[in-house]
Amino acid sequence: MLRKTKNFLKANGFHYKKKYLSPLVAPENYYVLKFGKNHLNNRYIVQYSYTWTGRMKVTQIDLRLHGQKRPRVFVNEAQLLSYLRKHLK
């Protein structure tokens, strides 16, 4: 999931750790990826569900850089990558 973003992070020298969450009550699943150069203090959270054909559908991507209180919300991976290219140098 989000292969382009992972390749971007690897190419720019960021380390990351991933974790999957599936709550019991909600139909959505969550994918949390923490990343950073020295400390894993940034994260993005992908909220996704499955369609009736079994395909994965990304509902929302939240990005929190350096412990922000209000996350940036993206609809797709292309918007996320363009934001990361501008702000992570």
Side-chain angles (χ1 to χ4, degrees), residues 1 27 29 48-57:
M1 179 182 295
N29 296 321
Y48 66 96
S49 61
Y50 292 99
T51 62
W52 65 274
T53 58
R55 298 182 80 182
M56 217 184 287
K57 179 182 175 186

Side-chain angles (χ1 to χ4, degrees), residues 3-34:
R3 184 175 0 148
K4 292 178 186 177
T5 306
K6 289 182 195 175
N7 290 339
F8 171 79
L9 292 174
K10 286 180 192 176
N12 290 314
F14 287 93
H15 304 286
Y16 64 86
K17 185 172 83 171
K18 56 188 174 180
K19 181 171 49 170
Y20 295 97
L21 300 172
S22 60
L24 296 175
V25 180
E28 292 89 13
N29 296 321
Y30 295 94
Y31 174 77
V32 179
L33 190 129
K34 293 183 178 183

Side-chain angles (χ1 to χ4, degrees), residues 45-48 57-62 71-76:
I45 303 167
V46 179
Q47 181 179 357
Y48 66 96
K57 179 182 175 186
V58 174
T59 310
Q60 174 178 323
I61 302 172
D62 297 340
R72 303 268 182 197
V73 178
F74 301 100
V75 179
N76 56 21

